[in-house]
Amino acid sequence: WGPLEKFLMAGSNEINANEAKKVVPLHTWILISNFKLAYNMLRRPDGTFNRELAEFLDRKVSANTVPVDGVYSFDVVDRSTSLLNRVYRYLSPENDSGRQLGAGIIELEKPLSATEVVPVVIFFHGGSFTHSSANSAIYDTFCRRLTGLVEGVVVSVNYRRSPEHRYPSAYEDGWEALKWVHSRSWLVSGKESKVHVYLAGDSSGGNIAHHVAHRAAMSNVEVLGNILLHPLFGGEERTESEKRLDGKYFVKLQDRDWYWRAFLPEGEDRDHPACNIFGPRGSSLSGLNFPKSLVVVAGLDLVQDWQLAYVKGLQKSGHDVKLLFLEKATIGFYFLPNNDHFYTLMEEMRNFIRS
Amino acid sequence: MGPYDSSISSNSTSSACSSSTKPPPPQQPPEQMDHLLAGAGYKVRSNDLTQVADRLEQLETVMVKSSPGDFSELGNDTVYYNPTDLASWVDSLLTELNPNVTVHGSGPGDVSDPDPDPNGFNNNFPVNMNNNNNMNMNMNVYGEFGQQVVTPVEEDVSIRLVHVLMTCAEAVQRGELSLASLLIDDLQGLLGRVNSGCGIGKVGSFFVDALSRRVVNSPQNGVVQVDLSAYENEILYHHYYEACPYLKFAHFTANQAILEAFDGQDCVHVIDFNLMQGLQWPALIQALALRPGGPPLLRLTGIGPPSMDGRDPLREIGLKLAELARSVNVRFAFRGVAASRLDDVKPWMLQVSPKEAVAVNSIMQLHKLLGPGGPRGPPIDLVLDWIRELNPRILMVVEQESNHNQPEFLDRFTESLYYYSTMFDSLDACTAQPEKTLAELYIQREICNVVCCEGSARVERHEPLVRWRERLTSAGFAPLHLGSNAFKQARMLLTLFSAEGYSVEENEGCLTLGWHSRPLIAASAWQAIPKPSAVTMGR
């Protein structure tokens, strides 16, 4: 970095900040910029990660068995894996009888419903495989909304993160969570008395949801649908959207590269099948009982070309996929209910699950 | 309100329901915190939003200029405080990078409003309300070779056990003792069917025991716990100290903060509200010995119960500590103050000199003062008042993070069932004996006190951090934030424990230690705001 580059960089960052500020509401801009700058401090050039500072900075919230806006939550540790799942449940006002603190326990003796279908969404939080946790405030808030939206249960999985735990740890944790959910008698609903499972995730969580669904399809484990919120995919090639949007809306391509290097096995490149689903090393999904998918793409996300390629890949394999393209959305648009895209997304997710 | 409601974290605000023709009166006091960012865990005043945005922009430019290509330098040595206060977080980064820039507006630790919780933010995510329901599922039954086997039958019995415990507690609350007795028989039966060596079986048996004591002995007035001898107390305490990291975390974090508060001071005086075996102090003495510039003169005043058996435990510990101090060349003086209750202590007994920097150290002691008051008023107010009069540079408070002081028995029972289940869960990871068994007995005494005792006999009146913040703020103390270095070192301490479930979290300038995501112990540091009138000390 010569002295001239410094000034060029500084200049272009000012332009970028102004562009993003025009498109993004103030609160969102503050929130995502804060993450961006903090995350910059955590990634080291040698590929290691300042986990201590990351945990210090991450705002966490505890579970709460007292319903707030109809949703209560509690944490469960799966002893065989030592993994934490946070379970959220929606209690409609008519059902909220009895002492609240006890409600969480007593309800777990019975299935969710003997007659109605109650969806159970397994949610994988984002963070590029590296940041955040199931009990991060932004994800706790999001999962509460999702729970109220589908009027069911959300299970948020605290999967192991990179660089400490690389591929395939997160996928294995997702798979364990799926099996765990399917085997809970208290998550069963409907006349068929089974657990009605959906998978969902944002960013890296979306990537995990895909891979877990793939494994489920190969193992005959039922998943009723996938919701992928600007899922993290990539490849060696530099796509047009990556070049065009690099550094413009909170994310730089070199950051994306860092996270893939931290997640993929050492020495691997971005055409690894974990990353490039329908690329040269991907496997075919044709003929598999793969669930229907809702793929949400943010128009200002530099990764969109890979997400669109994913959608095409699913279609070519004969699978049911709906693309929700939100033109003016940036990453993280769904954290705050202060923009149209947020409400569109809520509506679409609700329809996808309740249909 | 539906799921689209923008303020998921607050039940209280609603401007949509007014049917009058006038515009609704402005509901926001000038110090209003922004709702949206609150849902993300940040406290920013609505009025400050634009300013924070500007600062973030500035910060990015400055970051790029100062270390283009590698911002991780910033993460390495600098100490950060209270990330919830986003405005001061950004400002502290700005001043860190650009010391010449004057920062207007709020400074670190300055998000002080008259109502510390205007949105009910804390009430809706009250730490005391969460639970770890692993006692209901995936019970760890150890197979022959220590493997963990889950049997579905076991799970059903565990769930039933908890259900009947709650029903029994309800019966006790309503005064239906014969029903409660029958339920206790039920519970004994259920206990026989679960593995009582661990998990819900273990902690459940302590709660069943506590309930049956309460039912058998004058339940309205509660039982009076039999006092252990000082020696027996010490044994249990020591094994609790060894078996799990809660006390070590308390001591460690307190010492860090005290060390910082004593920076540059030549005469320092630590007042320990419960000396016990003085386990906290060797580390501080050694740290002071190694201080750049040399150690100060250290005085330690240890408070403890009067001894009944002719020993003088305070003096014995004092001598040992003096010996240690001598060996590392720290000038040291010790004084023991015997008092059965903290509100029996008078400031003059502590002989604080105006030249000294004072640190008051309270590890799990303040909650004992929340019981019924005497003629002089609530004990907690009395004690906080004389602490303030000492004008300490730091008041270190570590307390159990739970609400076991609710007026209704059933609420206390439920809360403590969750809390101690989690604590026992963490103890399961300890295999050393007799540490583990004796640590369990130590905890059992707490459980018994919370569940069986009433009135002045009930001393384990734990309250959560949220409440202590309110109390200490109204008593004239300002927070001293524990920063990222204390956080980092606490995490390192935990790696010494093989159990991978302990978690340290940062909570608005305080640190908590918990098991998985449930905080169990909270540490906070405070500074006395000097009283407006002239302060006289050491009367």
Side-chain angles (χ1 to χ4, degrees), chain B residues 114-383:
Chain B
D115 175 5
D117 184 25
N119 285 0
F121 175 73
N122 287 326
N123 290 338
N124 287 306
F125 294 101
V127 178
N128 57 317
M129 289 302 213
N130 77 1
N131 66 342
N132 183 352
N133 264 33
N134 66 327
M135 62 187 176
N136 288 335
M137 48 218 96
N138 297 353
M139 301 318 304
N140 55 343
V141 178
Y142 287 95
E144 201 181 308
F145 301 106
Q147 305 140 327
Q148 296 176 351
V149 170
V150 178
T151 57
V153 172
E154 169 94 1
E155 188 167 302
D156 287 339
V157 173
S158 310
I159 293 177
R160 180 125 187 86
L161 179 63
V162 174
H163 195 166
V164 180
L165 262 172
M166 298 301 300
T167 313
C168 184
E170 274 171 336
V172 169
Q173 162 112 334
R174 290 194 304 265
E176 292 172 19
L177 301 179
S178 35
L179 172 60
S181 290
L182 288 174
L183 289 169
I184 286 173
D185 290 337
D186 253 0
L187 286 166
Q188 303 287 15
L190 286 168
L191 280 176
R193 290 165 56 199
V194 296
N195 183 340
S196 61
C198 54
I200 187 62
K202 172 71 71 72
V203 68
S205 65
F206 287 133
F207 276 88
V208 171
D209 175 74
L211 271 177
S212 66
R213 283 185 207 214
R214 191 175 174 119
V215 166
V216 166
N217 307 297
S218 61
Q220 297 313 318
N221 304 326
V223 301
V224 177
Q225 248 178 324
V226 173
D227 275 340
L228 293 182
S229 71
Y231 179 66
E232 287 166 323
N233 265 326
E234 276 170 36
I235 300 273
L236 292 188
Y237 176 91
H238 196 111
H239 287 88
Y240 177 68
Y241 179 89
E242 292 296 339
C244 46
Y246 302 109
L247 284 176
K248 291 188 184 101
F249 166 80
H251 293 171
F252 189 86
T253 309
N255 285 347
Q256 275 280 115
I258 292 173
L259 206 56
E260 267 176 62
F262 281 169
D263 193 30
Q265 300 294 317
D266 293 326
C267 295
V268 305
H269 184 175
V270 175
I271 299 169
D272 187 1
F273 274 6
N274 186 26
L275 185 68
M276 268 309 215
Q277 298 156 336
L279 296 173
Q280 180 172 351
W281 306 119
L284 183 69
I285 293 171
Q286 279 160 343
L288 287 172
L290 294 173
R291 195 171 80 155
L297 162 61
L298 169 66
R299 285 182 58 208
L300 174 65
T301 300
I303 301 176
S307 118
M308 299 298 170
D309 54 7
R311 290 167 61 223
D312 190 349
L314 291 174
R315 187 163 174 274
E316 281 170 21
I317 304 294
L319 284 172
K320 286 198 191 125
L321 290 173
E323 183 58 47
L324 169 66
R326 196 170 19 246
S327 73
V328 293
N329 290 321
V330 174
R331 290 167 299 148
F332 178 79
F334 176 83
R335 188 183 162 77
V337 172
S340 16
R341 301 164 53 95
L342 274 173
D343 48 327
D344 287 341
V345 173
K346 308 278 181 293
W348 58 261
M349 297 175 186
L350 306 171
Q351 297 191 346
V352 169
S353 135
K355 297 200 206 81
E356 297 174 325
V358 175
V360 176
N361 186 71
S362 167
I363 312 284
M364 329 290 208
Q365 299 303 306
L366 289 186
H367 62 258
K368 298 181 182 169
L369 299 168
L370 297 177
R376 293 177 295 153
I380 183 70
D381 293 341
L382 293 172
V383 173

Side-chain angles (χ1 to χ4, degrees), chain A residues 61-138:
Chain A
V61 300
S62 304
N64 190 355
T65 50
V66 176
V68 175
D69 290 336
V71 176
Y72 69 87
S73 63
F74 55 91
D75 291 334
V76 181
V77 179
D78 181 352
R79 285 191 194 281
S80 52
T81 57
S82 209
L83 283 176
L84 188 78
N85 293 334
R86 177 163 288 182
V87 179
Y88 301 83
R89 182 157 173 219
Y90 177 72
L91 271 185
S92 64
E94 310 89 64
N95 286 343
D96 187 10
S97 59
R99 218 177 2 86
Q100 287 168 340
L101 270 178
I105 305 176
I106 294 165
E107 291 304 327
L108 296 178
E109 292 195 284
K110 309 185 285 211
L112 292 172
S113 166
T115 48
E116 306 294 309
V117 166
V118 181
V120 177
V121 181
I122 302 179
F123 180 77
F124 302 101
H125 68 81
S128 307
F129 297 103
T130 303
H131 298 281
S132 295
S133 306
N135 59 343
S136 295
I138 45 170

Side-chain angles (χ1 to χ4, degrees), chain A residues 31-319:
Chain A
L31 185 66
I32 311 291
S33 298
N34 170 55
F35 287 149
K36 177 178 87 174
L37 295 181
Y39 291 1
N40 282 349
M41 291 179 2
L42 302 172
R43 295 185 302 266
R44 298 200 192 96
D46 65 355
T48 59
F49 185 72
N50 191 341
R51 183 60 69 190
E52 274 76 30
L53 187 56
E55 291 304 303
F56 178 80
L57 294 177
D58 191 26
R59 304 293 81 207
K60 299 191 197 295
V61 300
S62 304
N64 190 355
T65 50
V66 176
V68 175
D69 290 336
V71 176
Y72 69 87
S73 63
F74 55 91
D75 291 334
V76 181
V77 179
D78 181 352
R79 285 191 194 281
S80 52
T81 57
S82 209
L83 283 176
L84 188 78
N85 293 334
R86 177 163 288 182
V87 179
Y88 301 83
R89 182 157 173 219
Y90 177 72
L91 271 185
S92 64
E94 310 89 64
N95 286 343
D96 187 10
S97 59
R99 218 177 2 86
Q100 287 168 340
L101 270 178
I105 305 176
I106 294 165
E107 291 304 327
L108 296 178
E109 292 195 284
K110 309 185 285 211
L112 292 172
S113 166
T115 48
E116 306 294 309
V117 166
V118 181
V120 177
V121 181
I122 302 179
F123 180 77
F124 302 101
H125 68 81
S128 307
F129 297 103
T130 303
H131 298 281
S132 295
S133 306
N135 59 343
S136 295
I138 45 170
Y139 285 112
D140 187 83
T141 300
F142 180 81
C143 285
R144 284 174 167 276
R145 290 203 176 103
L146 184 57
T147 308
L149 185 72
V150 306
E151 293 183 7
V153 169
V154 170
V155 179
S156 184
V157 181
N158 210 24
Y159 58 88
R160 286 169 294 166
R161 299 165 298 184
S162 52
E164 296 93 331
H165 302 280
R166 294 173 177 268
Y167 165 94
S169 304
Y171 300 160
E172 283 171 357
D173 295 347
W175 176 244
E176 289 302 319
L178 177 60
K179 288 194 296 183
W180 184 86
V181 164
H182 262 302
S183 62
R184 296 307 103 189
S185 58
W186 48 272
L187 286 177
V188 158
S189 67
K191 299 204 180 70
E192 311 113 312
S193 286
K194 65 175 188 185
V195 186
H196 291 79
V197 178
Y198 294 81
L199 300 179
D202 68 316
S203 162
S204 52
N207 177 298
I208 297 172
H210 164 82
H211 287 284
V212 175
H214 189 177
R215 187 165 175 183
M218 307 232 289
S219 319
N220 254 324
V221 174
E222 187 183 48
V223 173
L224 295 170
N226 267 10
I227 298 180
L228 307 196
L229 257 178
H230 59 59
L232 211 54
F233 297 125
E236 276 300 297
E237 183 199 336
R238 298 306 196 187
T239 63
E240 183 274 339
S241 66
E242 284 169 319
K243 291 185 234 179
R244 173 170 48 95
L245 294 169
D246 184 3
K248 295 242 167 41
Y249 296 97
F250 308 113
V251 185
K252 289 209 189 80
L253 200 48
Q254 68 184 42
D255 305 340
R256 290 276 128 254
D257 291 349
W258 189 99
Y259 291 115
W260 284 120
R261 277 196 304 275
F263 173 70
L264 295 169
E266 312 224 17
E268 277 288 359
D269 68 20
R270 291 184 303 275
D271 280 337
H272 188 284
C275 177
N276 193 350
I277 308 294
F278 292 103
R281 296 163 58 188
S283 41
S284 169
L285 294 183
S286 309
L288 284 180
N289 193 8
F290 196 81
K292 65 173 182 174
S293 302
L294 170 64
V295 180
V296 182
V297 177
L300 300 177
D301 181 356
L302 58 83
V303 175
Q304 64 191 265
D305 284 350
W306 293 109
Q307 293 155 353
L308 295 169
Y310 174 76
V311 171
K312 281 214 179 66
L314 282 182
Q315 286 165 337
K316 279 210 195 112
S317 315
H319 295 299

